[in-house]
Amino acid sequence: MEFNFSEIEKKWLAAWEQNGTYQVSNQSDRPKYYVLDMFPYPSGSGLHVGHPLGYIASDIFARYKRLKGFNVLHPMGYDAFGLPAEEHAIRMGVHPAISTKENTERYREQLESIGLSFDWSREIRTSDPSYHKWTQWIFTLLFEHYYDKKADKAKPIKELVAYFEQNGNRDLDAATTYEELFSAEDWAAFSRKEKDEVLMHYRLAFRSVGTVNWCEALGTVLANDQVKNGLSERGQHPVELRPMTQWFLRITAYADRLLEGLKTIDWTESLKSIQRHWIGRSEGALVKFDLQGLEEQLPVYTTRPDTIFGVTFMVLAPEHELVDRITTPEQKEEVNQYVKYVAGRSERERNAEVKDVTGSFTGGYAIHPFTKKPIPIYISEYVLKDYGTGAIMAVPSDDERDMAFAKKFGIEIIDVIDKSDYPNATLSDKVGKVINSDFITGMEVPDAIEEIIKRVEAMGIGRRGVNYKMRDAGFSRQRYWGEPIPIVYDADGVAFSLPLSELPLELPDVPEFKPTADGQSPLGRAVDWVNLPDGRKRETDTMPGTAGSAWYFMRYTDPHNNDAFAGKEAIDYWQNVDLYVGGSEHAVAHLMYSRFWTKFLYDLGYINFDEPFKKLINQGMIQGIIEIAFLKKENGKIRFISADMVDNRKDFSEFFVPIEFVSDYGKETSYLDEEGLRKFAAWNVDFAKATFEMKDGYFKDGQFTPTKEGGQCRFVTHSEAGKMSKSRYNTINPDDIIAEYGADCFRMYEMFLGPIEQSKPWNTNGIDGISKFLRRFWALFYDADGKWLVTEDAPSPEALKVLHQTIKKVLFDMERFSFNTCVSGFMVAVNELRKLNCHSKEILEDMVRLMAPFAPFITEELWTKLGHEGSVHLSSYPDFDEKYLVKSSIDYPISINGKKRAVVPFPADASKSDIENAVRSLEIVQKWVGDKEIKRLIVVPGRMVNVVV
RNA sequence: GCCCGGAUGGUGGAAUUGGUAGACACGCAGGACUUAAAAUCCUGUGACUUCACGGUCGUGCGGGUUCAAGUCCCGCUCCGGGCACCA
C-alpha cells in the first residue's frame, strides 16, 4: 500500500476534532506544562513558510510533554487589533472587524493543516469585546493604583488619598514625577481639578504631555519607524514633533524589579542583555546648582560626581523649562532660533548627529557649589529632555561629547582624572586618580564619588541617585482599531475610570476611519458616543497593540470566563508559561510590557507568579530569496537585461520578480524561460512592450528571437537572500508545500533545516530526503503490494540496540530543543532497521510513538493499523533501557602523536593495562614508533588511545 | 563606537562539551531494474597526492595551552542582531 498522506491527513484532522483529542482540562492529577507561541497578527496575506517554524517546534515539544505524562496547555489565538486592518479600512472602507475575522479564519485553516495540536476551544482574539473587557479592566486597575517604593509594590490610590489627607505628601516614598511638597491642609484646600492633577503624577496609568510625530498632511500621528528624515514614509510629507496630552503607563516604577527578575528566568543571554540595556540603570548623584540672579536651583544628574571640579559649563535640553528664564535679553534671539531649529528635527535625527555638535549660549550662569565660580549655561540638542533631569554638568576633560562641545565653543578644559595607572582604561571607565580637585585630589575615583555624595548631602544640595534610560510607556494611540481607553472626563476635565460593570467599552461605529481634523482619534467622529447624556465626555484615544498581548497568556487558562480575567483556580493551576517560543523582534516591547503587567497583577494578588515566561526560545527567521530583474528606461521604453550580462548593477534599475514565474528559483542560475517571460510581461502592463535582452537572443511581444543558432531563451534573474514579504513577491505558502509533500513532511523538513534559533533562507533542496524517509518508514509496515509486514516475532538484539540508541538520542536532543538532530536520529534508525530487515511489532510500535510528535499523521495511522484503539498522541513516550546498549567490544582509535593511525576493537571490559600492552605490540604502532621510544601512552577507557613518541 | 551571536565539504548542517571532524540529508558521479523515462535500489563523494597500499593538508586568519583543540586562552578579519550624544 502506498503512503497516501493527503487521505490520511484529512481523515485524522476530522477525527481529532471530533474526538477532542487536543482538548485539555483545568483539572488533572498530572503535572501541568504550559507551551505557548507568540500569537500572530492575522495579516491579509496569510501564513508563509517562515511563520510555522516556531509553531512546529513548540508543537513537537507540547506533544512530547503530553506523551511524557504532563497535562499540557497549548493554545493559540490572534493579536487582532492593529494598524494594517485599519489602513485597509481607510482605503477600502471595509470595517476592520470584518477583515480581521476573515483573516483569522484563514489563519486557523492553515494552522490546522499543519497538524498543530492546539486546543482550539481556547482560541482568543484580542479584539473581541469579551477579551478586551479585561484588557480595559487591567487598565482601570493601573489607573487606580500607585507604586509604593517602601513596600515595593502597587497600592490603591484610595490609600494614597487617605495618606494625603493625613500627612500631605511628606515622607512619602512613591514612584512619582511630582516635585513639590504639600501638607494635609494644602491637600484639603486643593480643588477637585488640582487634586486630579496631583494624583496623575502618582497613578500607574496617567495623563501627561508627550511629544508625538504629527503629520499635518496625513492628519495623523506616526510611529517612529514611519518617519524617515523628517518626512512620512508614506507620501513623503513633513512631520513635526508636537506636544500632545497622552496616556502613559508608569513602567519605570517597576524598573528595578524588571531588572532583578531577569536573573530568575531562562531566556537567551542576548535577549536579557537587550532588556538590561533598555532599562539602562545607572548609579550616580543628583546635584543642585545655584543660578546667578535666580531663586531657583538647577538640578543635574551625573554618574561622575568625582569630576565636579572639572565642570566648566552646563548644558540644558533646548526644551528645558528654565531656558526662558535663564536666557539674557542679548542672547534671546540666538536661543530662540536654536530652539526652533531643534524642534524641527526628529528624535532620530537628533540622535544620528554625532560629529557636528551644535548649541547656543543662554547668557545665564550657574554657581559651582565648591569653587563658587560662575559657570556658563548652554543649550544643545545632545542633552535630552526626558533623560535624567534634562540638564547636565559638563566635564569636557572626561566626556567625549562635552569635549567636542567645549572645543567648538572655546570653553576651558580642566583635567581632573589621571588614568596613567590604568593604561587600558577608556574615558568612560570609572577608574583613575583625582587631580586638580581641592579636597578630593589624590583619591581614587570610587572613593571620590562617595566623598562628593557625602558632601553634597551634608550641604543639602544633592543626594545619591539612580537613573534609568527606560521611559514611561506612551499608551495612547490616535487610532480606531484598538481597545478604547475606559476613561470619562467630567465638566472640569477630571478623569474617572469606568467600573467593571460598564466594561467592555466597545468601539463605536464611525462614519470614517480617518482621524478628526484636530488630531483626535477616529473615535472623535462618533459624537453621540463621546458625549454622554450627563455632560461627561469619553476619552477618544485607543490602546496600543502591546496592551492586548501583555496578558493574553493568562486568558487561555480560562478563556470564556465572563466574571474574571481568569478564574482563580485556573490561573493558579496553570500559572506562567513554561516554554515560550517566538521571534526576537519582540525583545523589548511585548516582553517588557508583559513582564510589567504580570508583576502588577501579582502585586494585587490576582496571580501567584511574577514572571510571565519561564523559558523562552527565539526561533530564527526563515528568509526568502528575492529574485531581481535589471532594467533600463530609455525614451520611455523599458529594456530588461539578463543578469548574466550585467557587470555593475548600479547602472540599472531593479525590479522584484514574482518567484512563481522563475525557474531554478533560489539558485544562482535562476531564470525566466519563455513561459515565465510571457507571464511576467503580462503581469505588469508597463512590461507588455518591454524588450528582454539575453545572451542567446531577445524576447519581445511574447516572442523569443534567437541571435545565435540553437540559442536558448534564458533571462537570468539575480537571486538574493532577504526577508520574505508580500511586497517582494517572494512569499512561499505552506499550503502548496503541504499539498505536494504532506504536513508530516513539511513539519519534519522545517525542523531538519537546522537549529531552531538560526535564521536561514528557505529552499526546498532537501525536502525530497524527508519525503523519501517517510516512505521508507512506511515501507517497514507495508510492502509495495500493500501487504502488512509487521510480525509478532521477538526482535533481534541488533534491532533492540538500534531502537534503544535512538530513544536515548531523541530524549537527550528533545530536552535541549535540538529538533534537527532528532530527525537525523530517526533517519539513522530507519536506515538500520531496513538493513536488518526488521518488521518486529515491538520495535516498530516504539518507533511510532517516538516519532509521533514530529509526524502526527503517519504515526497515528500506523498506530491504529498496529491495532490500538486510542490515539498515539494520548499514549506514552518510550524510554530506553541501558541493558540493550551494552557493547561487547569498543572500537578504539589509536593515535600516534595525536594523529589517528588505526582503529582497533577491544573488549568493553578490557582494563587500561590490557589495552596498553596490546597497543604496544600492535604492528601499526611499531611501524610508527620505529627506532624511537614511547614516551607516554594515554588510554581513555571507552574512548581512545594516544601514543606519544 | 559599544554589547551580544556566528564562521565546519559543492549545499543545509552533525560532532555525546577537550578524545575517530564532516553523522544525517541534498547535490553530483557511476551502476542495477526498464524498450525508454520517472520512481526505486546499490556504490562512491573534504582537498591534494598515489596504479595501489598509503601519505600530506584540512573546521575564517595569526599565535598559544595540552598527550590530544572545531571545542579552551590571546590577538585579528568578515558576517548577522541589538544599542547608540543616556550625562
Side-chain angles (χ1 to χ4, degrees):
Chain A
M1 188 162 70
E2 270 291 282
F3 164 47
N4 183 338
F5 57 80
S6 56
E7 222 168 83
I8 290 173
E9 283 172 18
K10 216 190 292 162
K11 177 169 107 192
W12 287 112
L13 277 178
W16 291 334
E17 191 177 345
Q18 199 184 346
N19 301 336
T21 306
Y22 303 121
Q23 276 189 28
V24 56
S25 164
N26 286 354
Q27 260 100 44
S28 171
D29 301 334
R30 298 174 158 215
K32 74 103 186 182
Y33 199 87
Y34 189 172
V35 183
L36 186 66
D37 296 289
M38 289 188 188
F39 62 171
Y41 175 81
S43 78
S45 47
L47 288 177
H48 62 65
V49 292
H51 293 116
L53 184 68
Y55 303 155
I56 294 168
S58 62
D59 187 63
I60 288 171
F61 204 73
R63 288 174 180 277
Y64 165 71
K65 279 287 176 181
R66 219 176 272 134
L67 290 172
K68 282 291 245 178
F70 289 84
N71 189 32
V72 176
L73 179 58
H74 187 43
M76 182 46 95
Y78 308 98
D79 190 12
F81 273 135
L83 222 50
E86 181 161 336
E87 271 163 8
H88 184 72
I90 293 172
R91 276 198 315 273
M92 314 298 285
V94 181
H95 196 283
I98 294 169
S99 57
T100 301
K101 186 158 181 289
E102 281 169 8
N103 293 349
T104 53
E105 277 163 10
R106 169 139 168 70
Y107 265 63
R108 166 85 178 258
E109 251 171 60
Q110 287 186 303
L111 290 167
E112 279 188 274
S113 73
I114 301 169
L116 302 169
S117 63
F118 295 126
D119 178 353
W120 286 111
S121 71
R122 294 172 185 257
E123 183 186 38
I124 56 172
R125 269 178 225 165
T126 53
S127 59
D128 282 345
S130 65
Y131 180 90
H132 81 228
K133 170 180 180 175
W134 301 105
T135 311
Q136 290 171 324
W137 173 72
I138 296 171
F139 179 87
T140 63
L141 292 179
L142 287 160
F143 178 77
E144 297 295 351
H145 285 79
Y146 76 104
Y147 199 83
D148 181 339
K149 286 192 190 168
K150 246 181 248 158
D152 214 9
K153 63 187 278 190
K155 285 195 173 167
I157 283 285
K158 273 189 199 143
E159 289 180 24
L160 184 68
V161 171
Y163 186 91
F164 286 163
E165 283 164 358
Q166 289 290 313
N167 318 290
N169 65 351
R170 248 167 254 279
D171 298 324
L172 180 74
D173 198 6
T176 181
T177 41
Y178 199 77
E179 296 281 321
E180 267 100 289
L181 281 176
F182 57 82
S183 64
E185 294 73 39
D186 294 337
W187 174 258
F190 285 161
S191 70
R192 291 176 60 245
K193 179 72 187 158
E194 282 166 331
K195 282 181 182 168
D196 179 62
E197 273 163 16
V198 171
L199 290 176
M200 277 295 180
H201 284 88
Y202 291 86
R203 294 181 190 275
L204 289 174
F206 63 99
R207 247 155 67 103
S208 174
V209 175
T211 49
V212 295
N213 299 307
W214 172 255
C215 180
E216 187 68 46
L218 295 174
T220 187
V221 174
L222 298 174
N224 276 333
D225 56 337
Q226 294 175 309
V227 184
K228 297 246 155 75
N229 304 319
L231 298 173
S232 63
E233 202 178 25
R234 188 159 48 92
Q236 305 291 306
H237 304 294
V239 175
E240 58 173 307
L241 288 174
R242 190 193 259 197
M244 257 173 108
T245 303
Q246 309 245 62
W247 284 93
F248 288 86
L249 298 188
R250 205 177 298 283
I251 190 171
T252 51
Y254 283 84
D256 261 326
R257 284 169 65 190
L258 289 169
L259 192 61
E260 283 301 302
L262 289 174
K263 291 177 188 158
T264 67
I265 49 183
D266 183 10
W267 294 11
T268 59
E269 208 33 60
S270 85
L271 205 56
K272 287 191 193 183
S273 103
I274 290 171
Q275 291 219 337
R276 252 181 241 122
H277 280 113
W278 187 262
I279 296 166
R281 184 181 196 273
S282 71
E283 286 179 22
L286 267 167
V287 183
K288 288 181 188 160
F289 282 65
D290 286 329
L291 294 169
Q292 218 170 50
L294 275 173
E295 279 293 293
E296 282 170 273
Q297 290 177 308
L298 174 66
V300 299
Y301 173 74
T302 175
T303 56
R304 295 300 302 273
D306 55 307
T307 61
I308 197 161
F309 286 95
V311 174
T312 52
F313 60 103
M314 312 289 281
V315 187
L316 303 190
E319 307 89 337
H320 199 284
E321 58 266 19
L322 281 176
V323 171
D324 272 351
R325 268 172 289 165
I326 289 169
T327 306
T328 56
E330 305 82 65
Q331 294 300 114
K332 199 116 218 156
E333 179 67 29
E334 186 190 322
V335 166
N336 282 349
Q337 274 201 356
Y338 186 73
V339 170
K340 217 167 152 190
Y341 157 76
V342 173
R345 283 162 68 79
S346 73
E347 198 167 325
R348 287 267 163 104
E349 287 172 317
R350 286 178 63 173
N351 291 348
E353 194 64 72
V354 182
K355 283 185 212 122
D356 198 22
V357 251
T358 60
S360 169
F361 179 47
T362 61
Y365 288 88
I367 308 294
H368 194 286
F370 297 113
T371 66
K372 302 296 177 199
K373 278 190 196 155
I375 315 167
I377 303 174
Y378 289 76
I379 58 172
S380 173
E381 64 177 355
Y382 84 80
V383 175
L384 306 175
K385 174 77 185 71
D386 293 323
Y387 186 76
T389 61
I392 60 161
M393 55 176 232
V395 185
S397 61
D398 225 54
D399 181 290
E400 257 174 80
R401 297 149 311 149
D402 295 349
M403 170 91 80
F405 196 89
K407 280 188 177 155
K408 172 149 181 177
F409 289 88
I411 305 167
E412 187 190 6
I413 299 170
I414 306 172
D415 269 336
V416 285
I417 305 293
D418 175 9
K419 287 198 168 154
S420 48
D421 290 345
Y422 303 88
N424 293 323
T426 63
L427 202 59
S428 57
D429 290 332
K430 291 185 183 182
V431 293
K433 196 164 254 155
V434 180
I435 53 172
N436 298 329
S437 295
D438 197 357
F439 56 91
I440 54 169
T441 297
M443 285 186 185
E444 285 292 318
V445 164
D447 302 332
I449 290 174
E450 287 307 309
E451 181 61 27
I452 294 291
I453 290 175
K454 224 193 284 171
R455 287 277 186 129
V456 295
E457 280 178 349
M459 291 158 76
I461 56 159
R463 59 181 167 81
R464 189 183 301 280
V466 173
N467 206 19
Y468 300 92
K469 265 198 263 190
M470 183 165 72
R471 300 174 203 171
D472 284 325
F475 206 66
S476 277
R477 297 292 183 271
Q478 288 73 41
R479 298 284 175 186
Y480 178 76
W481 194 230
E483 301 87 347
I485 290 179
I487 292 286
V488 291
Y489 302 98
D490 69 12
D492 297 331
V494 175
F496 296 89
S497 62
L498 294 181
L500 181 55
S501 59
E502 290 181 39
L503 299 178
L505 174 61
E506 294 193 36
L507 280 166
D509 278 325
V510 290
E512 227 189 327
F513 298 105
K514 283 186 189 151
T516 65
D518 56 350
Q520 267 190 45
S521 91
L523 300 196
R525 296 181 183 273
V527 180
D528 293 343
W529 180 85
V530 173
N531 299 296
L532 295 169
D534 56 10
R536 296 186 303 165
K537 272 183 197 278
R538 288 195 195 280
E539 170 64 57
T540 56
D541 285 352
T542 52
M543 298 188 202
T546 43
S549 61
W551 71 282
Y552 77 112
F553 71 97
M554 302 183 201
R555 186 65 178 172
Y556 286 128
T557 65
D558 194 9
H560 308 296
N561 195 324
N562 209 24
D563 303 315
F565 72 105
K568 179 89 181 135
E569 243 175 82
I571 193 75
D572 282 355
Y573 173 67
W574 289 110
Q575 301 196 343
N576 46 7
V577 175
D578 293 285
L579 175 66
Y580 197 35
V581 180
S584 58
E585 66 271 22
H586 301 105
V588 274
H590 161 57
L591 291 174
M592 198 69 93
Y593 292 122
S594 230
R595 295 183 60 220
F596 164 35
W597 283 35
T598 301
K599 287 178 192 303
F600 173 66
L601 291 172
Y602 170 81
D603 284 354
L604 270 52
Y606 287 107
I607 51 179
N608 59 8
F609 52 88
D610 77 339
E611 283 290 343
F613 315 115
K614 275 197 257 188
K615 177 168 179 74
L616 188 147
I617 302 183
N618 286 128
Q619 99 265 19
M621 200 168 57
I622 292 206
Q623 296 153 324
I625 304 284
I626 306 170
E627 296 288 355
I628 296 168
F630 297 106
L631 70 139
K632 258 191 181 160
K633 253 189 194 170
E634 283 163 0
N635 311 325
K637 287 189 180 154
I638 298 175
R639 283 173 56 211
F640 279 94
I641 316 287
S642 181
D644 53 354
M645 295 162 71
V646 169
D647 295 327
N648 189 351
R649 62 190 282 189
K650 290 207 178 86
D651 299 341
F652 298 89
S653 306
E654 299 181 4
F655 201 90
F656 300 131
V657 182
I659 57 168
E660 61 267 28
F661 304 154
V662 177
S663 307
D664 278 357
Y665 163 65
K667 292 187 187 152
E668 212 149 301
T669 53
S670 58
Y671 65 97
L672 291 167
D673 58 11
E674 218 173 322
E675 179 69 22
L677 282 170
R678 254 182 231 126
K679 283 186 190 158
F680 183 59
W683 171 74
N684 187 321
V685 283
D686 295 344
F687 301 161
K689 289 271 165 239
T691 317
F692 295 82
E693 297 172 20
M694 48 204 121
K695 280 195 165 152
D696 289 1
Y698 64 92
F699 177 95
K700 195 172 179 1
D701 298 327
Q703 212 54 48
F704 173 64
T705 313
T707 50
K708 267 186 205 161
E709 202 161 323
Q712 273 196 319
C713 180
R714 279 199 172 209
F715 181 82
V716 178
T717 52
H718 177 72
S719 309
E720 210 171 73
K723 224 174 154 181
M724 211 177 260
S725 76
K726 217 181 171 185
S727 60
R728 294 177 181 84
Y729 315 115
N730 68 342
T731 55
I732 297 176
N733 191 302
D735 306 0
D736 301 339
I737 310 278
I738 289 172
E740 194 175 345
Y741 294 96
D744 285 336
C745 184
F746 176 66
R747 289 167 63 100
M748 280 196 145
Y749 182 60
E750 287 231 345
M751 292 301 101
F752 191 61
L753 241 28
I756 188 76
E757 332 69 64
Q758 223 163 75
S759 287
K760 51 226 148 192
W762 172 262
N763 65 66
T764 49
N765 289 348
I767 200 164
D768 281 334
I770 302 284
S771 181
K772 266 188 232 170
F773 157 75
L774 285 170
R775 273 174 282 154
R776 282 176 192 164
F777 179 59
W778 182 264
L780 291 172
F781 297 76
Y782 284 102
D783 73 5
D785 304 322
K787 199 177 122 217
W788 182 246
L789 299 174
V790 180
T791 66
E792 302 282 341
D793 301 351
S796 68
E798 290 83 15
L800 279 167
K801 193 168 162 187
V802 168
L803 173 69
H804 285 261
Q805 265 172 352
T806 307
I807 298 174
K808 189 176 178 180
K809 178 188 173 50
V810 169
L811 287 176
F812 179 75
D813 288 349
M814 276 288 196
E815 293 296 333
R816 57 190 187 119
F817 306 99
S818 176
F819 304 115
N820 56 326
T821 53
C822 287
V823 177
S824 39
F826 297 140
M827 289 176 168
V828 171
V830 169
N831 290 346
E832 295 282 326
L833 293 175
R834 225 157 59 99
K835 269 186 212 151
L836 293 169
N837 212 356
C838 169
H839 301 285
S840 153
K841 186 174 179 187
E842 191 183 324
I843 302 284
L844 295 180
E845 220 164 50
D846 275 0
M847 282 302 295
V848 165
R849 288 192 294 155
L850 200 60
M851 279 170 54
F854 288 80
F857 295 99
I858 190 173
T859 52
E860 186 78 310
E861 177 71 14
L862 291 170
W863 184 250
T864 328
K865 290 284 182 339
L866 284 164
H868 296 279
E869 288 279 316
S871 168
V872 66
H873 304 300
L874 302 175
S875 65
S876 63
Y877 215 57
D879 208 347
F880 66 96
D881 191 334
E882 284 288 355
K883 82 177 175 207
Y884 298 114
L885 302 177
V886 184
K887 291 178 185 168
S888 57
S889 84
I890 296 169
D891 288 343
Y892 279 83
I894 312 294
S895 296
I896 284 118
N897 285 341
K899 279 199 197 311
K900 185 188 70 168
R901 295 299 176 185
V903 177
V904 180
F906 286 104
D909 55 357
S911 75
K912 237 174 147 167
S913 55
D914 288 351
I915 295 173
E916 213 177 302
N917 292 332
V919 166
R920 276 178 199 279
S921 56
L922 280 172
E923 205 177 309
I924 181 91
V925 175
Q926 302 282 321
K927 181 191 147 192
W928 280 96
V929 172
D931 48 6
K932 284 164 259 169
E933 64 178 295
I934 296 178
K935 261 204 219 155
R936 238 175 115 183
L937 209 152
I938 292 144
V939 177
V940 184
R943 285 239 182 256
M944 49 81 66
V945 178
N946 193 11
V947 183
V948 186
V949 179

